[in-house]
Amino acid sequence: MEPIKTPQCLEQHIEECTAVLQAKLKGTNGKRAVVVCGGTGCIANNSVDIEEELKKEIAAHGLEDKVTVNHVGCFGFCSQGPFVKIFPEDTLYRAVKVSDVKDIVEKDLIGGQICENLLYVDPTTKEKVQRQDDINFYKKQIRIALHGCSLINPDLLEEALGYDGFKALKKAITTMTPQEVIDEVLASGIRGRGGGGFPTGRKWQFAANVKADQKYVVCNGDEGDPGAFMDRSILEGNPFEVIEGMMIAGYAFGASEGYFYVRAEYPIAVSRLQRAIEDMEKVGLLGDNILGTDFSFRAHIRLGAGAFVCGEETALLNSIEGQRGMPRPRPPFPAIKGLWGKPTCVNNVETLSQIPFIIREGAGKFAAIGTEGSKGTKVFALGGKVNNVGLVEVPMGTTLRELIYDIGGGIPGNKKFKAIQTGGPSGGCLTEKDLDTPIDYDTLVARGSMMGSGGAIVMDEDNCAVDVAHFYMSFICDESCGKCSPCRIGTKRLYEMLTEVTEGKGTEKTLEDMKELATIIKNGSLCALGQTAANPILSTMNNFPEEYKAHVTEKKCPAHVCKNLMQYHIIKDKCVGCTLCSRNCPVSCIHVTDVVAKPMVPGKPTMPGKFAHEIDQSKCIKCGSCLAGCRFGAIIKE
Amino acid sequence: MAIKPEVVQGVKDICDSYANEPSPLMMILSAVQKKYGYIPLEVQEIISEKTGIPVAEIYGVVTFYSFFSLKPKGKYVLGICLGTACYVKNSQQVVDKFSSLLGIQPGETTKDGLFTIEAIRCIGACALAPAMSINGKVYPKVTPDQVGKIIEEYKNKEAEA
Ligand SMILES: Cc1cc2nc3c(=O)[nH]c(=O)nc-3n(C[C@H](O)[C@H](O)[C@H](O)COP(=O)(O)O)c2cc1C
Ligand code: SF4
Ligand code: SF4
Ligand code: SF4
Ligand code: FES
Ligand code: FES
């Protein structure tokens, strides 16, 4: 691509690229286009090999002039991947294997028939669905942050330009003053998508009001909430959109340098972002005097190194500065004194990804979506015990029921819904009674949880509330940076107390002590990690008091999860004596009894030498492999 | 422990390549960790000499971040995700199975230097929970049953090499 030096030149590129992309999607270029999901999830399921095989097979049939193949970013529905989509028919194939490629080429691309066996099957109606938009999972979604994800080739600036890319940047830097940009963002009502939910426009205004020779935009791509992967998918699927959002932020409050801080666990996101930056530099979309204006901007990438607390903005700044990632006391706020002491705005990936839409389409269009206090859409990472696991972008104010049942397809295996954790390790859980609450920043807080970054983990009756709280506490203990003692020592002590409860050594007094300690940690901690550390405990204690009680008074785990409070048993009446469990038991604690086993085939006699089995409870380490293996339903948890 | 001359040079080269960056320490450490697998004190001294950052400060940074290690890790790092999405789908059982089959705890390395078990927090493949990654390659939906096979796969790879 030639350098893009003027607004007219950009305009022309956008026009051309749009025409090319539309022709590709509509097939008016006389070709069919095959796209393969190249997100982390599908790559783990061999989608790179699928793409290679498609190219090979297409070449073998001499179709190179008639069919194009490329990868795109995450479709969001990763649990159904790898995906292959064919334009212009808009046919979506799911769970594709390398061995299916031959069929796709011969049957569909050559024969013009649909490979029925690769279509998505609706779990309730059992009907096959050909088009993505007709799948329930996608129906209630509005794609603003995920704009272009799973559609454009994230390695090609041309495709970004062909799908609304940099229209907003052009509009901002050539037709709007910085203050007008801030006003527009304020009017959109957008609040930070990274956790706190602070109005983005106000943050920019603070930084704009400070005079300084240098200011910075920092994009927070640390995505610490384990179970959330929206920032990963956005960066992998449309890195250009995030860079554009960052540049608009820079223009708005006067920063000419931007830093992306991305967790090292996301190598694919990092390499796509790197490539996008380089390609933009080549054509002059990053650098000095962009589009011939006075606006100059450079973007850099810094990698995290595995510390959750670095998601906290001041810790993140320390980390970029090459120090231990410990939070700084605030004030001064980063907008006044941030990176290298200069005014800095830290914005989340998803927040920045929505900025181009706001500028391009207008604040009003964004503000028309959502609720009174929370505008626009939010991406949730729906995970855990739900049928349709994946990323969904829905209007603020969508109810949990819509999220879990309409989009998520309900709980697998006809199990009972128990709770959904939002806000990750800083959040809390919501239960049955909250299912019809419209979710936004404020309703979640009112119900003892929070939005966080959008992780939403569904739990069913097989999950133990105490065990889940115990899990979050172990996470927080590991990740406390150690700067303040209420957090460093308090969370450790809370974890030990919870361990006592899960092991049946706790008493009602333990529960009271936990509540008291939780308050101390909350009030005495410097950063939000400590301040919110006890939330998962408090929220599960509030929602499931009887479950905590069972652990300390009856010494029972009602969900049969806590190992010390449950046992595996073999029902002699059902055991056919197949010996599988005893062969698999890692500590050889399953023995035969002298009770003759049930017949293998009902009605037939028991084979000679087959006896029912029994578990020696004193040796059992509760690994669960016997239960997982028994094909006769003879083993139970109690 | 004496550091090989080529490693000394390699570390110096890495330091030089970031000489123009503001606050380059994290970048240097990431690159060294990636290339050599660990960052012992002797290497920190070289970095200190090159950058003028006191060793004490470098040590503080190395020990703060879980990605950096002072000791060499196994040839294959078995990173099993204990992030929330994976945990609620029983990834703890996968960790336990690796532990019992290899006879080491998370954070430890087998005597033959082949495997290190690490409990990690979310690799962004949450929809494929429980997920794990072995030297960067992501394995989706790992069940305790598959653990033996995965270990065999890498042992065979070693035997062939
Ligand atoms: C312990 C802790 C972890 C955090 N992790 C993240 C994170 O992974 N990603 C993120 O964007 N914000 C995270 N935040 C919030 C950031 O401090 C900051 O509010 C956010 O990046 C601001 O961007 P936003 O206004 O666009 O949301 C975290 C906060 C705390 C206290
Ligand atoms: S509250 Fe915890 S994580 Fe935050 S600064 Fe204090 S010790 Fe560190
Ligand atoms: S696997 Fe089941 S049926 Fe077979 S011996 Fe064990 S308990 Fe009995
Ligand atoms: S739970 Fe594990 S240790 Fe206990 S009997 Fe079953 S297989 Fe053996
Ligand atoms: S990675 Fe392919 S759908 Fe998410
Ligand atoms: S929680 Fe395991 S990959 Fe995200």
Side-chain angles (χ1 to χ4, degrees):
Chain A
M1 210 187 252
E2 311 130 41
I4 302 175
K5 288 192 177 134
T6 60
Q8 296 76 16
C9 177
L10 177 61
E11 184 87 45
Q12 198 183 336
H13 273 290
I14 288 175
E15 241 166 68
E16 284 168 15
C17 292
T18 310
V20 171
L21 185 67
Q22 284 308 317
K24 170 180 167 183
L25 301 179
K26 298 212 171 95
T28 48
N29 58 357
K31 294 179 189 176
R32 299 177 74 198
V34 182
V35 301
V36 184
C37 180
T40 296
C42 291
I43 287 181
N45 276 321
N46 299 324
S47 72
V48 174
D49 295 342
I50 295 172
E51 188 181 343
E52 282 314 304
E53 189 67 19
L54 271 164
K55 285 183 177 155
K56 249 197 257 161
E57 199 64 26
I58 284 167
H61 286 88
L63 294 172
E64 294 110 313
D65 299 338
K66 296 210 174 69
V67 185
T68 61
V69 180
N70 65 266
H71 58 256
V72 294
C74 177
F75 281 72
F77 205 2
C78 318
S79 56
Q80 290 281 333
F83 287 101
V84 169
K85 195 170 179 179
I86 299 180
F87 293 99
E89 294 80 2
D90 212 11
T91 307
L92 185 69
Y93 292 133
R94 53 159 266 286
V96 176
K97 294 184 293 299
V98 175
S99 56
D100 295 322
V101 167
K102 211 169 150 51
D103 245 16
I104 294 180
V105 173
E106 291 178 357
K107 213 167 150 193
D108 186 326
L109 292 175
I110 298 174
Q113 279 177 315
I114 286 172
C115 303
E116 299 270 339
N117 60 323
L118 296 175
L119 293 180
Y120 174 77
V121 183
D122 188 296
T124 37
T125 63
K126 307 280 180 243
E127 268 173 40
K128 292 187 170 151
V129 188
Q130 185 197 343
R131 294 181 57 250
Q132 180 173 343
D133 293 344
D134 296 331
I135 297 176
N136 278 340
F137 178 79
Y138 289 102
K139 275 189 188 158
K140 298 204 165 173
Q141 299 201 38
I142 301 180
R143 299 194 142 211
I144 295 177
L146 298 173
H147 188 69
C149 289
S150 77
L151 195 96
I152 66 161
N153 181 340
D155 289 334
L156 279 187
L157 175 58
E158 287 84 348
E159 293 217 340
L161 285 169
Y163 205 67
D164 294 332
F166 304 103
K167 287 182 184 167
L169 177 76
K170 173 174 159 275
K171 180 171 173 188
I173 68 175
T174 63
T175 67
M176 297 167 83
T177 64
Q179 189 57 47
E180 280 167 355
V181 174
I182 294 179
D183 290 341
E184 194 72 13
V185 171
L186 276 171
S188 76
I190 185 173
R191 296 167 67 174
R193 298 322 193 208
F198 192 81
T200 306
R202 271 176 56 202
K203 199 188 288 191
W204 292 7
Q205 187 73 67
F206 287 142
N209 294 347
V210 187
K211 289 225 168 351
D213 55 343
Q214 181 66 265
K215 298 181 190 175
Y216 297 101
V217 194
V218 171
C219 174
N220 190 341
D222 199 45
E223 194 149 62
D225 175 3
F229 55 103
M230 56 284 288
D231 294 349
R232 185 215 93 198
S233 291
I234 295 170
L235 288 171
E236 284 176 3
N238 191 354
F240 298 100
E241 182 186 50
V242 191
I243 303 172
E244 185 180 3
M246 175 186 259
M247 295 170 78
I248 293 169
Y251 177 72
F253 67 83
S256 59
E257 301 269 341
Y259 282 85
F260 284 94
Y261 186 88
V262 187
R263 49 199 311 243
E265 288 89 340
Y266 290 176
I268 300 171
V270 171
S271 71
R272 296 212 177 129
L273 186 60
Q274 182 73 46
R275 190 184 163 136
I277 291 174
E278 283 164 16
D279 287 351
M280 285 174 64
E281 283 168 350
K282 272 184 214 145
V283 298
L285 279 176
L286 278 170
D288 289 330
N289 301 103
I290 295 163
L291 301 183
T293 65
D294 290 340
F295 178 61
S296 302
F297 198 85
R298 281 182 180 73
H300 315 271
I301 302 177
R302 288 291 183 277
L303 297 193
F308 171 70
V309 70
C310 287
E312 195 282 333
E313 56 185 13
T314 58
L316 186 154
L317 297 177
N318 275 342
S319 184
I320 295 183
E321 290 182 17
Q323 297 163 25
R324 293 165 74 96
M326 290 186 168
R328 305 170 177 174
R330 298 181 301 181
F333 286 90
I336 313 296
K337 206 164 175 269
L339 194 56
W340 294 300
K342 305 290 181 189
T344 303
C345 279
V346 181
N347 287 120
N348 167 259
V349 169
E350 189 185 333
T351 313
L352 290 179
S353 77
Q354 296 191 323
I355 297 295
F357 177 92
I358 292 170
I359 300 298
R360 191 175 68 232
E361 312 280 338
K365 208 158 163 188
F366 190 83
I369 307 168
T371 62
E372 184 61 36
S374 310
K375 300 299 182 193
T377 54
K378 176 80 196 81
V379 186
F380 290 94
L382 195 55
K385 305 285 185 64
V386 58
N387 275 315
N388 302 336
V389 172
L391 280 191
V392 296
E393 182 168 5
V394 290
M396 292 278 189
T398 300
T399 65
L400 282 178
R401 192 183 299 282
E402 289 173 290
L403 196 62
I404 298 169
Y405 291 92
D406 298 348
I407 297 172
I411 318 293
N414 284 326
K415 297 272 180 181
K416 218 170 138 246
F417 167 74
K418 178 167 188 170
I420 181 168
Q421 173 90 12
T422 66
S426 311
C429 63
L430 298 126
T431 58
E432 190 81 38
K433 65 182 187 318
D434 305 309
L435 278 179
D436 293 306
T437 312
I439 26 185
D440 68 13
Y441 289 101
D442 310 313
T443 54
L444 285 178
V445 170
R447 277 159 185 76
S449 184
M450 60 184 260
M451 180 73 78
S453 58
I457 308 281
V458 180
M459 288 169 259
D460 68 9
E461 53 188 319
D462 290 343
N463 293 112
C464 163
V466 185
D467 177 66
V468 168
H470 187 243
F471 160 78
Y472 279 119
M473 220 53 228
S474 86
F475 180 86
I476 291 292
C477 273
D478 278 358
E479 300 298 340
S480 166
C481 82
K483 189 164 179 163
C484 24
S485 31
C487 172
R488 183 182 69 241
I489 303 167
T491 58
K492 182 97 206 320
R493 188 66 199 109
L494 257 187
Y495 174 70
E496 289 164 358
M497 286 153 114
L498 261 180
T499 307
E500 285 168 22
V501 175
T502 58
E503 289 181 347
K505 296 178 192 143
T507 60
E508 301 220 28
K509 174 87 172 44
T510 318
L511 300 185
E512 279 162 36
D513 291 348
M514 274 165 48
K515 277 195 178 154
E516 191 184 329
L517 181 54
T519 321
I520 298 174
I521 298 173
K522 188 173 182 171
N523 295 336
S525 294
L526 172 68
C527 85
L529 185 142
Q531 288 156 12
T532 59
N535 282 359
I537 297 189
L538 294 175
S539 140
T540 46
M541 279 181 129
N542 276 336
N543 281 301
F544 303 100
E546 66 300 334
E547 202 163 328
Y548 273 87
K549 211 157 169 217
H551 281 74
V552 295
T553 53
E554 297 152 45
K555 310 290 178 200
K556 280 239 145 63
C557 173
H560 311 305
V561 173
C562 299
K563 284 184 181 176
N564 282 18
L565 306 181
M566 55 85 67
Q567 291 183 335
Y568 289 89
H569 284 289
I570 294 175
I571 310 172
K572 293 210 180 69
D573 238 19
K574 287 193 179 167
C575 175
V576 302
C578 74
T579 74
L580 181 69
C581 58
S582 71
R583 278 181 283 135
N584 280 346
C585 176
V587 293
S588 308
C589 73
I590 306 183
H591 310 291
V592 284
T593 60
D594 47 16
V595 179
V596 175
K598 288 281 132 187
M600 189 90 69
V601 184
K604 294 267 167 71
T606 301
M607 293 221 282
K610 296 288 181 199
F611 293 97
H613 285 53
E614 182 177 69
I615 296 172
D616 178 350
Q617 298 296 343
S618 66
K619 292 202 189 121
C620 172
I621 57 167
K622 323 253 169 96
C623 73
S625 41
C626 52
L627 177 84
C630 179
R631 271 166 289 159
F632 301 90
I635 306 184
I636 54 160
K637 290 196 268 190
E638 252 175 18
Chain B
M1 183 177 58
I3 302 282
K4 286 191 206 132
E6 65 266 28
V7 177
V8 175
Q9 194 52 48
V11 173
K12 285 184 175 169
D13 290 346
I14 287 175
C15 292
D16 287 337
S17 68
Y18 294 113
N20 294 326
E21 297 284 348
S23 313
L25 182 58
M26 287 288 285
M27 302 169 98
I28 294 172
L29 294 177
S30 296
V32 171
Q33 173 74 39
K34 190 165 173 195
K35 184 150 183 202
Y36 300 106
Y38 68 118
I39 316 175
L41 216 50
E42 293 82 350
V43 167
Q44 295 173 34
E45 279 163 5
I46 304 170
I47 299 172
S48 169
E49 245 167 65
K50 289 290 292 183
T51 57
I53 303 168
V55 179
E57 199 178 316
I58 297 177
Y59 182 79
V61 173
V62 170
T63 50
F64 184 84
Y65 296 96
S66 64
F67 256 54
F68 303 145
S69 70
L70 293 165
K71 284 188 294 186
K73 292 185 187 174
K75 183 161 178 193
Y76 302 109
V77 180
L78 312 167
I80 303 130
C81 181
L82 279 184
T84 322
C86 292
Y87 185 79
V88 300
K89 292 213 173 153
N90 294 330
S91 62
Q92 184 65 50
Q93 289 189 2
V94 177
V95 177
D96 294 347
K97 188 82 183 202
F98 271 110
S99 276
S100 80
L101 288 186
L102 291 172
I104 50 171
Q105 292 304 310
E108 295 176 356
T109 303
T110 51
K111 280 210 186 76
D112 57 10
L114 220 45
F115 298 106
T116 300
I117 300 182
E118 275 183 0
I120 54 173
R121 305 285 190 187
C122 193
I123 40 181
C126 324
L128 308 173
M132 70 175 292
S133 101
I134 303 180
N135 293 7
K137 180 175 177 347
V138 179
Y139 285 69
K141 298 189 183 165
V142 185
T143 61
D145 288 355
Q146 295 167 355
V147 168
K149 229 175 65 200
I150 294 175
I151 295 176
E152 279 312 305
E153 180 188 329
Y154 281 86
K155 280 197 172 153
N156 290 342
K157 213 182 235 180
E158 248 347 82
E160 278 163 30

